[in-house]
Amino acid sequence: MGSSPRRPDGTLKVTGEFAYSSDMWMDDMLWGATLRSPHPHARIRGIDVTGAVRMPGVHAVLTHEDVPGEKRYGLEYRDQPVLAFGKVRYRGEPVAIVAADHPETARRALDRVRVDYEVLEPVSDPVRAAFDPDCPLVHEAGEDLPPAHPAHHRSGNRVRYQPVRTGAFADGATAAEVRALADVVVTGEYQVGMQDQAFLGPESGLAVPAEDGGVDLHIATQWLHVDQSQIAPCLGLPPEKVRLTLAGVGGAFGAREDMSMQVHACMLALRTGRPVKIVYNREESFHGHVHRHPARLRYEHGATRDGRLVYATAEIVLDGGAYASTTAAVVGVASSLGLGPYEIPHARVDAYGVYTTNPPCGAMRGFGAVQACFCYESQLDRLAAELGLHPVELRIRNAMSEGSRTATGQRVDMPLPMADMLRRAREMPMPPERAAAGPVDVRALPGGVANTSRGEGVRRGVGYGVGLKNLCFSEGFDDYSTARVRLEVVGGEPAVQVHTAAAEVGQGLVTIKGQIARTELGVERVTVLPSDTRVGSAGSSSASRQSYMTGGAVRAACLAVRARVFELVRAAGLVGDDHPDELLGLAGGKVVSGARGVLVSLADLLGASAVEETREFRHRATEMLDPTTGQGASHTQFGMCVHRAVVDVDVDLGLVKVVALDAVQDVGRVLHPQQLAGQIQGGSAQGLGLALMEEIQVSGSVIRNPSFTDYLIPTILDVPPMRIEVLEHPDPHAPYGLRGAGEPPTLSSTPAIVAAVRAATGRPLSRIPVRPEDIVGIERD
């Protein structure tokens, strides 16, 4: 642990030889394709598949009438149809599926399916959906939907409403009464656009019918077992007949928590008796997976003259789109962390997640916390300006630390060196001024090689951002991970197999599992088996939880194997029963004693036998937020990153060049330094994208830019050099003291960059991503 061994998938990926899910092939396979609704909201009056069925090469055309089991699925609420029936609720919703012997034949068959729609009024405004009692319902009363959690206050178009109250607000004080306690008050209204996960590998998978009447699905996903638990009821099969194996994943970032083509491929395979492969193109991918929840937010902060926060209020409206997905959980995070890592005596938060006919939204890196962080950090900058304080100084005066309590009353019972992190970020060396950098290199200016500027009209700005992120699952979820570890002798030397269902989505978990096994068992030869459902659930590769949870499970299984080995040592008479385990260890393929040195090689001890153990690992319990006050210890662990951004802005053209994006992050303990740096850099880059360029443009509930030509993501030319300072303050509750690291940088990089642009331009910039017209002062429609 603490070294940077080479990733087993690394060379294959950089040489283009890695097999992704879209590369899978069987000689007799068919190709699947999906017919999608052209309307965001419409009743289905009839579907005619006759023309498609008659086409040569077409083997199956299926609609909702052909779903063999449950017609709906979903992560938290099973409200999403396998294939639309009754009505469609977003543009791009699946209506019918086709299997054919060639992908082009399948696509042509889709054109021959006739659907009779009665177009309805879109529900595109999330604020109206949340508060207007006359707003049309996306899910009409009387639909046979599963009951919502009673604490979620679900009604009308609201998926969940979560209030949080502390201090005078908890005692019933009005906003005016609490406002009178402050010397300085700042208010702001903010918008966060819809961001796409923008993974490079589109949705794809291969379903193979089995002789037992079941199906084997090879799929790129983030959570094999939750897919299995949704697929099996829809197919009318027991879970053991729906077997999933993780295929090569080309990025995830939350979008693969929800299903896309899984049930469709399985239905077609079972109907035709042939393997069926489905691969989305890029435009279809934009419609076929969830995105980050866009948000409308209103904040108010009050402070004393010396910069002590007195109160804060927030109203947060999150647009969940047509189906619930993770909206309830996103509301839970946004409400509990909506005011950030600050000591605030009086707090009031009202968070809403709503149904609309906009594209469905769900998990994306840092969900719920990202939207709130942009707002509370913008508020702190405005308050610092009003008070004449440096923005870092204001944050330090109000910083949480170990022992502090969040707005939900949860005690921070792990190190949280926020003030120190802020000072370290402020003290990092600044990049050189442009004038001192020698001749002008247009690549270093806003606009780059477009040669729009030679430096005239370019101003520099500096900004800071910090965010508090929950790590692992929250609000009472029974989260666990399972690992099976086997120690045996292969070719005369000890070897270890590690088997979990954890999804390797690019974060390097496969390397971490091997490192843990080598550390705990002292064996160099470790094989990490492919992830599948033959072993118990490992939970989702999300919420920065896999190193904590699956790492904890692998460690627990290794410790159980090690204990068995020590039993064999005693049974062989190599040590007495009174020899304490604390003096025994495994190193270099041998059993060693702190008192007597090497006792025996593992190869000699095991011979032809093997030691295998399976263990589940759970984190400490969490609890639901109180539905009235929002109080409760709802989170497992907290993470934090501090960013300082330096930008150059062409104030005439509205173009931005991020010159530096430096970070300080506490990770508890470093497991793999190189992969850790990649996580911090990657999270920061996604935050940069949200700050300046990434937005799914939705008009009238229709996506207007479903391609990487028009949906802009940062390239290597947009991401600046990053100084990264890593702190290690171990969390006593976590395996190895580690702290999830992938999400916190996504929170703080966005407000830091926007703050730097504000400093350069003097513009308020209350909406992300910042557009050129926002910088130059052109009013948008």
Side-chain angles (χ1 to χ4, degrees), residues 495-524:
V496 175
Q497 288 184 349
V498 179
H499 189 192
T500 79
E504 169 61 67
V505 297
Q507 80 276 43
L509 179 65
V510 65
T511 315
I512 296 295
K513 289 188 287 187
Q515 285 181 270
I516 292 172
R518 293 184 183 95
T519 298
E520 301 298 341
L521 298 179
V523 173
E524 182 60 30

Side-chain angles (χ1 to χ4, degrees), residues 28-189:
D28 60 341
M29 75 181 188
L30 301 173
W31 294 82
T34 309
L35 179 69
R36 298 179 179 276
S37 166
H39 308 293
H41 200 196
R43 296 196 191 283
I44 298 175
R45 293 187 290 211
I47 304 175
D48 182 2
V49 302
T50 306
V53 170
R54 291 174 176 170
M55 278 188 64
V58 171
H59 292 255
V61 183
L62 307 180
T63 70
H64 72 91
E65 294 180 345
D66 301 297
V67 178
E70 297 290 332
K71 290 194 172 188
R72 294 188 181 94
Y73 65 90
L75 275 176
E76 297 188 29
Y77 299 147
R78 302 221 164 178
D79 62 351
Q80 187 157 355
V82 174
L83 293 166
F85 60 95
K87 69 176 183 177
V88 293
R89 296 175 178 84
Y90 71 97
R91 188 179 188 273
E93 181 162 1
V95 176
I97 50 178
V98 170
D101 53 16
H102 190 280
E104 191 57 40
T105 302
R107 285 191 284 269
R108 289 202 309 269
L110 297 180
D111 293 335
R112 299 196 181 187
V113 177
R114 299 289 177 257
V115 184
D116 183 12
Y117 293 104
E118 176 192 349
V119 178
L120 303 174
E121 175 190 353
V123 181
S124 58
D125 184 349
V127 174
R128 185 187 177 205
F131 302 118
D132 184 357
D134 297 324
C135 181
L137 294 177
V138 177
H139 294 268
E140 296 170 357
E143 289 186 23
D144 183 23
L145 293 177
H149 194 290
H152 287 175
H153 302 295
R154 181 173 173 179
S155 65
N157 284 320
R158 293 182 183 179
V159 178
R160 181 179 183 183
Y161 161 58
Q162 180 62 58
V164 177
R165 302 286 187 271
T166 69
F169 288 115
D171 296 331
T174 65
E177 291 169 336
V178 178
R179 193 177 294 122
L181 302 174
D183 299 317
V184 177
V185 174
V186 295
T187 61
E189 295 190 9

Side-chain angles (χ1 to χ4, degrees), residues 393-407:
E393 179 58 33
L394 178 63
R395 287 167 170 82
I396 290 174
R397 292 187 187 184
N398 297 281
M400 283 185 177
S401 59
E402 187 171 7
S404 295
R405 292 191 179 273
T406 68

